[in-house]
Amino acid sequence: MTTSVPAAPETAAAAARAAGRRRRIALAVVLTAAFMDLVDATIVNIAIPSIQRDTGATFSAVQWVTAGYALAFALGLITGGRLGDIHGRKKLFLLGMGGFTLASALCGFAAGPGMLVGARVLQGAMAALMVPQVLAIIHVTFPAHERGKVFGMFGAVIGLGAVCGPLIGALLTEGNLFGLEWRPIFLINLPVGIAGILLGRRFLTESRAPRALRVDLIGTALATAGLLMLLYPLTQGRESGWPLWGFVSMAASPLVLAVFVRYERAKARKDGSPLVELPLFKVRTFAAGAGVQLAFGVVSGLFFLVWTLHMQLGLGWGPLHAGLTGVPFSLACSTAAGVSVQRLVPRFGRKVLQAGALIMLSGALVYLWEAGRYGTALESWQLAPAMLLMGAGMGLIVAPITDTVISEVPAEHSGSASGIFNTTGQLGMALGLGLSSVAFFGVVGDTEQPGGAGAGAGAADALRASFVDATTHALWWICGGLVLVFGLLFLLPRRSRAQEAAERAEPTAPEGGAGPEQRQQALVS
């Protein structure tokens, strides 16, 4: 007689392998979603001249193609996070990814500028439902001892997206697949999004917050109205001849935002679920950091649009040429970001961010000098030093600023502070894109693109020269913004509390002090 012994160890090992495989696929899905969002936020810039040429879009429509996405994404971030906490992160993630994929299809098949702008706004709104769930899903999917490595992978994907976005856009636009010109930059999301939805339904785990805050729809509506009353006339005013209604709207915008602030205070007293935790701005470091984030967002939004148009419409480069010219910027930014967080900020604190602002300012001044000296004859290799400086300076700021600012906020408000901080950066980018009407397009004037119908060689050369003049004018605005960023950085503490605590705990770290993984986890949670 033989007896069968249950293979418990083998069964447990098989179950562990299956769980590990499930987690890896879930991670791939959410990281792909984060990558899609970052790429779509940057991929459009490189295709703007092709979009304008194909659709006949005006300069204000071009601004809305980029600003519409940024504004919708910014205004929906906090609400999207709360909806996930209430109704389930998996459900909201899949809804956001499905909507993002559908909006991408609408962008790719847009029949005109109006449809494209509307689809981009929808795309940004869907990204606001999808993206806030990514870190929350990672948090509930992976055990604590694995999260440090996973968050490192998340950071690497973000850096990769920043490098790959312009290059992917350049390759797809230059390749003119199936004669579709710029449209594949959006249509490429369709197979990726469909695969993500199918895999996400099977492998993602549902989760909710035990005590989620309520959704503040009235606060969201007031904030949206106040910002649109500023951004819409700022963007459309130049092409409309700066009518009176535009100035009235911009003057009334602060009044609507003041009503929003009063409502948020009342909402906090009523049920403790305002859209924005206003007491956070009583923390001097957070208020100053939000100012830095807003100003830096304005500079970034304006610079990336101006840079792209200068290369293609001012210098006459193709999309691939322009995309490759940006590689030094992307590589310098990624390298500086990694070094700043791991080595420089723990040692030098606030000085690293200030050095980043000065380095970026020096790059903008070099770019300004080169654009003025070489005009339309500027070459890629001549632009490389400015790109390296601006990329390195940006990397020294964008990577450590969130940790530096949020570490001064009470722990119970860190999640809300992080959401507001990220929203502020996105709003700054939308405002910077709106300001391009004055800083850039106002110098170009109401003109067609080089090479338009009936345009002679002399007219095309003159038009390109006007784009170079507009670039130098906008670069002065960018330099002024960087000076403002540098000044605001003095309001931040020399060293964050987290850095000081880490230094005090360093000698006893092996006996139970907070190691890198624990500090990373504290930051994310």
Side-chain angles (χ1 to χ4, degrees), residues 152-174:
M153 295 173 64
F154 175 78
V157 166
I158 297 301
L160 185 64
V163 174
C164 291
L167 281 179
I168 294 174
L171 289 170
L172 292 175
T173 305
E174 188 92 3

Side-chain angles (χ1 to χ4, degrees), residues 220-235:
T220 301
L222 286 171
T224 302
L227 290 167
L228 281 177
M229 289 172 67
L230 173 65
L231 287 175
Y232 184 79
L234 185 64
T235 303

Side-chain angles (χ1 to χ4, degrees), residues 167-184:
L167 281 179
I168 294 174
L171 289 170
L172 292 175
T173 305
E174 188 92 3
N176 192 19
L177 300 178
F178 308 108
L180 294 174
E181 297 191 358
W182 53 273
R183 299 176 188 275

Side-chain angles (χ1 to χ4, degrees), residues 165-330:
L167 281 179
I168 294 174
L171 289 170
L172 292 175
T173 305
E174 188 92 3
N176 192 19
L177 300 178
F178 308 108
L180 294 174
E181 297 191 358
W182 53 273
R183 299 176 188 275
I185 69 173
F186 298 113
L187 298 179
I188 194 175
N189 289 333
L190 271 61
V192 178
I194 292 171
I197 294 169
L198 295 176
L199 292 173
R201 290 185 61 186
R202 180 176 178 183
F203 293 101
L204 293 183
T205 302
E206 186 60 280
S207 66
R208 293 176 175 83
R211 291 176 294 179
L213 296 175
R214 298 179 181 179
V215 176
D216 183 7
L217 294 178
I218 296 178
T220 301
L222 286 171
T224 302
L227 290 167
L228 281 177
M229 289 172 67
L230 173 65
L231 287 175
Y232 184 79
L234 185 64
T235 303
Q236 297 291 137
R238 183 190 61 81
E239 291 189 356
S240 303
W242 296 109
L244 178 61
W245 64 261
F247 291 101
V248 172
S249 177
M250 288 188 283
S253 173
L255 300 179
V256 176
L257 293 176
V259 173
F260 165 74
V261 171
R262 289 180 63 87
Y263 175 80
E264 290 299 285
R265 289 173 177 166
K267 178 76 170 174
R269 290 192 298 268
K270 180 180 179 181
D271 58 18
S273 296
L275 180 68
V276 176
E277 295 282 354
L278 295 177
L280 286 171
F281 290 92
K282 295 180 180 179
V283 180
R284 175 185 157 184
T285 302
F286 181 80
V292 171
Q293 186 80 332
L294 182 67
F296 193 73
V298 170
V299 169
S300 300
L302 180 58
F303 169 71
F304 286 121
L305 180 62
V306 167
W307 177 31
T308 300
L309 295 179
H310 174 234
M311 287 189 293
Q312 295 192 63
L313 299 184
L315 302 178
W317 298 347
L320 186 58
H321 186 173
L324 292 174
T325 302
V327 170
F329 178 96
S330 300

